[in-house]
Amino acid sequence: MSQDAPILIVGAGQAGAMAAAELRRLGHGGRIVMAGGEAHAPYERPPLSKSVLADGAQDGKIGVHPAGFYAGQDIELRLGTTVTALDPARSVAHCAGGDAIRYATCLLATGGNARVLPALPPGTTHVHYLRTLDDATRLRDAMQRAGEVMVIGGGFLGLETASTAAGLGLKVTLIESADRLLGRAVPPELGTWLAQRVRAQGVGLRLDCGIAAFMPQADGVLLRLADGTALHAPLVVVAIGLTPEVALGAAAGLALHPDNGGIQVDEQGRTSAAGIFAAGDCCSQYQPQFGNHMRLESWQSANEQARIAAAAMLGIPAEPAALPWFWTDQFGCNVQMLGAAHAATRYAWRGSAGSDAPSPKFMLLGTRHGRLCHAIAVNAGADLRPLRALFGHAVEGLLPRLCDDTLPLRQLVRDIAAQAASPTTL
């Protein structure tokens, strides 16, 4: 292997950009090549359904790193470059234009693609998917011309898109096939509250709603529901999840997880092929907080996996991944989640708010076997931070105090920690 063979990062998104920065921070002085299929420098995806969709002036403000960062760090950023094949035995990547890149180590950070409804494939007139900056630009332009939009999918992306559209004054209908919102991510009581919140904001929400047929028309899309109801909208957004982009890894013989389809990696991000790592939405990793192998599709997970994989590529120990953390902004609420929920998790409320309150503020504290394992904060992110000290500790007997919103949470956690550290008096 030539001494100037670079570390190759395939994918110029959140995970790839963070890994490149971490390699430099850790002192790697060799070549770093990052190849990405899009024409844009790495950018953050969470704003696409929120600030970018609402305001085109935000397009240039969502870069993972400032302009000039890659040149300043001597990172070779090859935009508009698609890697079509990997040869792990020879450590060579082949690109669509015919170029070949011989690498020393490779990180796959290929992310994922929007899950597609076969009856409404991308390119269908009046139908939009939202995954890239170009997608957001096209949808924003379409929303400016339409007075109404139908969003299919009541997950985070669908809810955020519906919230942004409603805030812009569009008439919004949200269709969800399950009987509650965010069923796999939040407890039923929060899903119920959120549904009330969505309706209070003027969105037409239809839950437990099977779709029997899609019929694109000249002036929009007609949906026929399983109960016979027909709905028409001039603009449709499909937001039904993500599929990991693993074709490159699969063709190279990398092991994929049999259930979630992600590229299997160990705790340091190593794949089944020597010298190849993976991070971000494309990979599946054992998550001790959840007790399972899974793909964690989040901004924080991409950052943490990239940080740890970069250290492993250089043979440097890294701190373990932080507690899982996720956030979403929708319908006047900043919702932050820390830790992991399990089927047996029991929740207690701190604070209360009507679903139509201008700015509700409350928390749900989740315990499993009496230990704090999950916390959800609605417009209460500052109160979430001090709770980190209690995660994994027995708190069942402390819940009445923790749920009393007349007691400042930060001071309460300090008092609990001090009591735990003091000698027991018999």
Side-chain angles (χ1 to χ4, degrees), residues 402-415:
L402 290 172
C403 292
D404 183 350
D405 61 348
T406 66
L407 301 175
L409 192 58
R410 188 176 297 275
Q411 185 59 51
L412 184 58
V413 172
R414 287 175 182 161
D415 292 345

Side-chain angles (χ1 to χ4, degrees), residues 2-387:
S2 172
Q3 290 186 348
D4 66 350
I7 291 179
L8 172 63
I9 299 174
V10 182
Q14 185 78 36
M18 294 303 292
E22 184 69 3
L23 288 167
R24 287 292 186 239
R25 191 190 71 82
L26 292 173
H28 178 64
R31 291 177 62 206
I32 300 173
V33 175
M34 187 188 312
E38 292 188 57
H40 308 286
Y43 57 86
E44 307 222 345
R45 295 188 190 275
L48 297 182
S49 56
K50 299 180 279 290
S51 60
V52 169
L53 192 57
D55 182 4
Q58 299 297 313
D59 290 11
K61 301 178 180 179
I62 61 171
V64 177
H65 299 298
F69 172 84
Y70 302 97
Q73 292 291 313
D74 196 21
I75 295 167
E76 301 173 39
L77 185 57
R78 301 189 185 182
L79 300 176
T81 300
T82 301
V83 175
T84 57
L86 284 179
D87 184 341
R90 295 176 175 82
S91 299
V92 174
H94 298 277
C95 303
D99 291 342
I101 303 173
R102 184 173 293 275
Y103 59 84
T105 311
C106 178
L107 173 71
L108 295 180
T110 48
N113 302 306
R115 189 179 299 277
V116 171
L117 281 173
L120 297 177
T124 302
T125 305
H126 309 299
V127 175
H128 290 257
Y129 291 82
L130 181 55
R131 178 61 183 167
T132 68
L133 178 56
D134 290 341
D135 291 338
T137 300
R138 286 189 291 267
L139 178 56
R140 184 177 64 235
D141 292 343
M143 286 171 55
Q144 290 173 350
R145 299 189 300 270
E148 181 178 357
V149 62
M150 185 181 301
V151 180
I152 301 173
F156 291 110
L157 181 62
L159 284 164
E160 290 170 358
T161 303
S163 174
T164 300
L168 292 173
L170 279 74
K171 179 182 178 182
V172 181
T173 301
L174 180 62
I175 306 292
E176 169 55 45
S177 60
D179 59 0
R180 60 189 176 95
L181 296 172
L182 302 178
R184 291 179 296 177
V186 304
E189 51 265 51
L190 183 58
T192 298
W193 182 91
L194 185 56
Q196 295 170 349
R197 177 76 178 176
V198 170
R199 291 185 172 115
Q201 298 293 306
V203 171
L205 175 62
R206 288 177 172 263
L207 296 174
D208 201 12
C209 192
I211 300 175
F214 302 93
M215 290 165 278
Q217 300 180 328
D219 61 346
V221 177
L222 179 68
L223 273 67
R224 192 167 300 281
L225 305 183
D227 63 4
T229 302
L231 300 175
H232 178 275
L235 181 63
V236 170
V237 179
V238 181
I240 56 171
L242 183 83
T243 59
E245 180 48 78
V246 299
L248 187 64
L254 305 186
L256 306 182
H257 192 276
D259 296 326
N260 61 51
I263 298 170
Q264 291 191 163
V265 299
D266 66 10
E267 60 272 16
Q268 275 82 44
R270 298 183 182 88
T271 71
S272 59
I276 300 180
F277 295 72
D281 291 347
C282 68
C283 74
S284 173
Q285 188 176 52
Y286 181 77
Q287 301 293 333
Q289 295 290 330
F290 293 88
N292 199 5
H293 292 264
M294 61 193 306
R295 292 188 304 106
L296 278 182
E297 299 171 7
S298 75
W299 178 89
Q300 184 229 27
S301 178
N303 290 344
E304 288 292 276
Q305 289 178 341
R307 173 182 66 82
I308 293 171
M313 285 191 283
L314 301 179
I316 298 173
E319 291 292 323
L323 278 171
W325 173 72
F326 181 85
W327 92 95
T328 176
D329 292 306
Q330 52 183 268
F331 300 103
C333 294
N334 170 257
V335 183
Q336 297 188 35
M337 294 179 283
L338 183 66
H342 302 265
T345 303
R346 299 172 58 187
Y347 289 88
W349 289 72
R350 175 183 168 89
S352 61
S355 57
D356 58 349
S359 185
K361 182 178 179 180
F362 60 89
M363 298 183 72
L364 280 83
L365 305 181
T367 57
R368 184 170 183 245
H369 305 312
R371 297 181 179 275
L372 185 65
C373 66
H374 197 215
I376 305 172
V378 177
N379 291 327
D383 284 343
L384 193 64
R385 286 187 281 275
L387 277 177

